[in-house]
Amino acid sequence: MTGTRIAALGHYQPAKVLTNNDLAALVDTSDEWISSRVGIRTRHMAGPDEPVDELAAHAAGKALATAGLGPADIDLVLVATSTAIDRSPNTAARVAARLGMASPATMDLNVVCAGFTHALATADHAIRAGGARRALVIGADKMTEVTDWTDRTTCVLVGDGAGAAIVEAVADGEGAPGIGPVLWGSVPEMGHAVRIEGTPPRFAQEGQSVYRWATQQLPALARQACERSGLAPEDLAGVVLHQANLRIIEPLAAKIGAVNAIVARDVVESGNTSAASIPLALAKLVERGELPSGAPTLLFGFGGNLSYAGQVVRVP
């Protein structure tokens, strides 16, 4: 029998930073209005010549370097994204080509803001079933490309970026950092609450509906994800929720009951980067040494489709 672990992480954000004051020059808003309502102060914005697969490849390259691995060591590439404009080649195939990989299986997963935790679970399942040996799991989105910059309720939220994880097999009982069982699901009848629709595609949401759902329904589900790993919320060292909005993150984290955990608040400097938000925030916490190796950390994604997925991992 084998389990899986995260061997290394990597993250990437474009160089251009958009402040709240920059947005105030575009729409009727202010730094005070944005900060008080969503907690965001800055976000990164990719240029027209920086497609999603380029953001993803940068993060993936850093994860490979951190793990001391090369392109030939990966046999499965999963990219969680909802902002790839082209249908084919998919983003995962383009990332594999950028990195010079020989013949990996390549798949995109579109579960919007819960995409990375869905992809992480998919990689875990594939490796446990013997379908892969080592996977590259990436969350990458270019939300600024699907944003209506005249809508102050949505344009203040978004940012661009990517985060990546190397997932590999590990023998049971080795005590290595591991990936716990996933809890996932959706609320299909409320799929309209978060949308990226139209031609050209544009991001829209029903903010109050999302807020109520996230703060009222998700705490119990997040606690169930902990239970599946055999842990109580107070055993957690870290909590990395989808970085949607500080007014969602803070009450949700409090209701989970992870009283001893460091709670990721990367949304303040990165905005909502959709599928990138969890691996981006997690990689930064690990890079800064705020979460030590082996620390049990809850990852919980939620949002578009009103989908959710969460699992407890041991950080590399």
Side-chain angles (χ1 to χ4, degrees):
M1 296 290 292
T2 61
T4 62
R5 67 173 183 176
I6 297 176
L9 297 160
H11 65 90
Y12 176 78
Q13 291 174 281
K16 182 178 179 180
V17 175
L18 201 63
T19 68
N20 290 346
N21 289 330
D22 293 330
L23 287 172
L26 298 176
V27 293
D28 180 18
T29 191
S30 67
D31 177 61
E32 189 280 329
W33 191 91
I34 299 169
S35 299
S36 64
R37 284 163 176 78
V38 296
I40 300 168
R41 295 194 178 278
T42 60
R43 67 286 290 151
H44 291 249
M45 183 176 187
D49 58 344
E50 296 177 281
V52 171
D53 60 282
E54 181 175 329
L55 306 181
H58 281 307
K62 290 182 179 180
L64 286 168
T66 300
L69 299 172
D73 295 311
I74 302 296
D75 53 10
L76 172 63
V77 181
L78 300 176
V79 177
T81 187
S82 57
T83 55
I85 301 303
D86 297 328
R87 305 294 196 272
S88 180
N90 65 19
T91 305
R94 287 179 166 170
V95 170
R98 283 183 180 272
L99 296 175
M101 295 180 175
S103 57
T106 58
M107 289 180 278
D108 287 2
L109 291 86
N110 179 359
V111 202
V112 202
C113 307
F116 179 79
T117 43
H118 276 80
L120 188 64
T122 301
D124 171 54
H125 298 164
I127 291 171
R128 287 175 181 271
R133 178 174 52 90
R134 187 177 285 116
L136 176 59
V137 182
I138 307 168
D141 269 307
K142 188 177 178 180
M143 290 297 293
T144 62
E145 196 162 57
V146 297
T147 295
D148 178 355
W149 291 98
T150 67
D151 178 6
R152 75 169 186 167
T153 66
T154 55
C155 75
V156 301
L157 299 173
V158 300
D160 302 331
I166 306 293
V167 178
E168 63 183 14
V170 61
D172 282 347
E174 283 190 3
I179 299 173
V182 69
L183 176 84
W184 53 10
S186 65
V187 188
E189 67 271 20
M190 288 183 65
H192 55 82
V194 183
R195 309 179 303 281
I196 301 176
E197 296 178 328
T199 306
R202 288 292 176 261
F203 165 52
Q205 68 173 3
E206 299 169 13
Q208 287 302 311
S209 296
V210 175
Y211 178 82
R212 286 193 297 271
W213 172 69
T215 56
Q216 295 175 13
Q217 303 300 319
L218 296 187
L221 295 170
R223 289 193 292 270
Q224 286 180 42
C226 295
E227 291 169 6
R228 291 193 175 191
S229 289
L231 295 173
E234 54 266 28
D235 297 327
L236 296 171
V239 171
V240 184
L241 307 173
H242 166 50
Q243 301 292 292
N245 176 332
L246 204 58
R247 289 182 62 221
I248 291 177
I249 293 167
E250 291 182 333
L252 177 51
K255 290 180 180 180
I256 290 170
V259 293
N260 300 311
I262 292 171
V263 177
R265 292 176 172 84
D266 187 55
V267 68
V268 175
E269 64 180 53
S270 300
N272 182 341
T273 56
S274 193
S277 76
I278 287 177
L280 189 61
L282 178 63
K284 288 181 180 181
L285 288 175
V286 172
E287 184 177 76
R288 293 194 298 258
E290 295 181 41
L291 287 175
S293 177
T297 301
L298 172 67
L299 311 182
F300 200 87
F302 57 88
N305 319 308
L306 287 208
S307 294
Y308 55 88
Q311 61 271 96
V312 175
V313 305
R314 300 273 176 174
V315 302

